[in-house]
Amino acid sequence: MKKRGLKLHKAVDAVLTYCILIAVCAIFLFPILWLVLASFSKTGSIYSFKGFFPSAYSFDSFRKLFTDTEMYNYPRWFGNTLVVSLGSSLLGTALTILTAYCMSRFRFKSRKAIMKATLVLGMFPSFMTMTAVYLLMTQFNLINQHFGLILIYSAGAPMGYLTQKGFFDTISYSIDEAARIDGASNAQVFVRITLPLALPMIVYTLLSSFVWPWSDFILPKLLLKNKELYTVAVGLMSLDNTEFSRFAAGAVFIAVPIVVFYFALSKFLISGMSAGAVKQ
């Protein structure tokens, strides 16, 4: 009887767990499903929806998204976003990895003070600095310049270096010491020893540095005044209310590069590559 009661308890617990998980998945998936179905709306206007969903479906929204570019040049916006995101991802990843490595491997005066300061500054929302950023970009003549966006995103990326530092801390320092005994310099240890072991963290940093500028709206809206220079987020917000299905189609298609990059780089997202590298 005791075993039967224990099995019944486990069965009820499993059923409740799965029910909760299914409910949570439904809550998160419903807006995505609604957006995908809205992108196939035949009329294009949100006011013609029958309840939550369109009354008729068509592929015209996706066709117009890439062919009707006289007023809303989505392909150009998409290209602008790709340039900004790739540039910010590469430069921001390099700065973040260098910052994290220095904080993890080197001991110098005011190191802990700098770490505490960056931790506190990271708690403030980024939009608080928008006025100062706009004035600086005006002084450097970087308004309506994609390079200005790349510069700001890359400069802000090292503020979130703590995750990368934690990863570097897990790599045994004995590896560095063994390399230095063999005559390796600090640069050689970093490039030839640490970076290959930190490949999962580098890939994670690349992806996270790519996603932020790819979906950001506030900063591009602040700095880009020319419609031809818009990123996708700003461009989609400029669409008329009667172009809701085109907005939805653009919002759906914007997820494609992130999904492609994730699946292309997912094989590198393997933790613990340095496990067993040193026999303590």
Side-chain angles (χ1 to χ4, degrees):
M1 291 294 294
K2 187 175 182 180
K3 289 184 178 180
R4 184 178 298 177
L6 184 61
K7 288 182 179 180
L8 180 62
H9 176 75
K10 288 183 178 180
V12 172
D13 184 64
V15 170
L16 288 176
T17 301
Y18 280 110
C19 288
I20 293 173
L21 290 175
I22 292 172
V24 171
C25 289
I27 292 172
F28 280 95
L29 288 177
F30 179 79
I32 300 175
L33 176 64
W34 179 81
L35 186 67
V36 172
L37 293 177
S39 66
F40 292 100
S41 174
K42 187 174 183 179
T43 60
S45 174
I46 192 174
Y47 302 109
S48 64
F49 281 24
K50 187 177 181 180
F52 280 108
F53 303 106
S55 55
Y57 297 91
S58 171
F59 285 95
D60 289 343
S61 298
F62 287 92
R63 180 185 57 80
K64 290 170 61 177
L65 191 67
F66 292 97
T67 58
D68 185 13
T69 59
E70 185 176 351
M71 288 186 63
Y72 307 113
N73 197 339
Y74 185 84
R76 182 181 290 274
W77 299 340
F78 191 90
N80 294 340
T81 311
L82 192 61
V83 169
V84 172
S85 298
L86 285 175
S88 303
S89 179
L90 294 174
L91 184 56
T93 297
L95 294 175
T96 303
I97 294 299
L98 288 172
T99 303
Y101 181 78
C102 289
M103 290 296 182
S104 174
R105 284 302 197 253
F106 297 103
R107 300 295 182 267
F108 50 89
K109 189 177 180 180
S110 301
R111 172 178 170 273
K112 290 187 177 181
I114 293 174
M115 292 176 60
K116 291 178 181 178
T118 53
L119 183 62
V120 172
L121 290 175
M123 296 178 181
F124 293 94
S126 58
F127 65 83
M128 292 181 63
T129 62
M130 288 302 169
T131 303
V133 167
Y134 184 80
L135 292 176
L136 285 173
M137 293 298 103
T138 303
Q139 295 297 318
F140 288 105
N141 196 26
L142 290 175
I143 301 295
N144 273 329
Q145 298 285 340
H146 289 148
F147 177 72
L149 282 175
I150 295 173
L151 192 63
I152 294 173
Y153 288 131
S154 302
M159 293 291 292
Y161 72 93
L162 289 176
T163 303
Q164 290 76 4
K165 176 190 174 297
F167 187 91
F168 284 128
D169 289 342
T170 64
I171 300 176
S172 177
Y173 195 74
S174 301
I175 301 176
D176 298 12
E177 293 177 341
R180 290 192 177 92
I181 291 174
D182 291 336
S185 63
N186 287 330
Q188 289 173 327
V189 171
F190 175 67
V191 174
R192 297 184 180 182
I193 306 297
T194 307
L195 286 186
L197 294 174
L199 186 58
M201 182 50 62
I202 295 174
V203 173
Y204 163 79
T205 307
L206 278 169
L207 288 174
S208 59
S209 299
F210 180 88
V211 171
W212 178 26
W214 184 261
S215 57
D216 187 34
F217 170 79
I218 298 178
L219 193 58
K221 180 63 176 177
L222 180 70
L223 299 181
L224 301 178
K225 307 301 180 182
N226 189 342
K227 198 171 184 179
E228 294 298 314
L229 298 175
Y230 279 178
T231 59
V232 170
V234 180
L236 289 178
M237 288 300 296
S238 68
L239 266 63
D240 190 72
N241 292 335
T242 59
E243 298 286 349
F244 182 77
S245 61
R246 191 191 295 198
F247 172 89
V252 170
F253 193 81
I254 199 176
V256 172
I258 298 175
V259 174
V260 170
F261 281 131
Y262 175 80
F263 281 105
L265 300 174
S266 60
K267 63 181 180 180
F268 298 107
L269 293 173
I270 303 172
S271 61
M273 289 185 67
S274 62
V278 176
K279 187 176 181 179
Q280 299 288 354

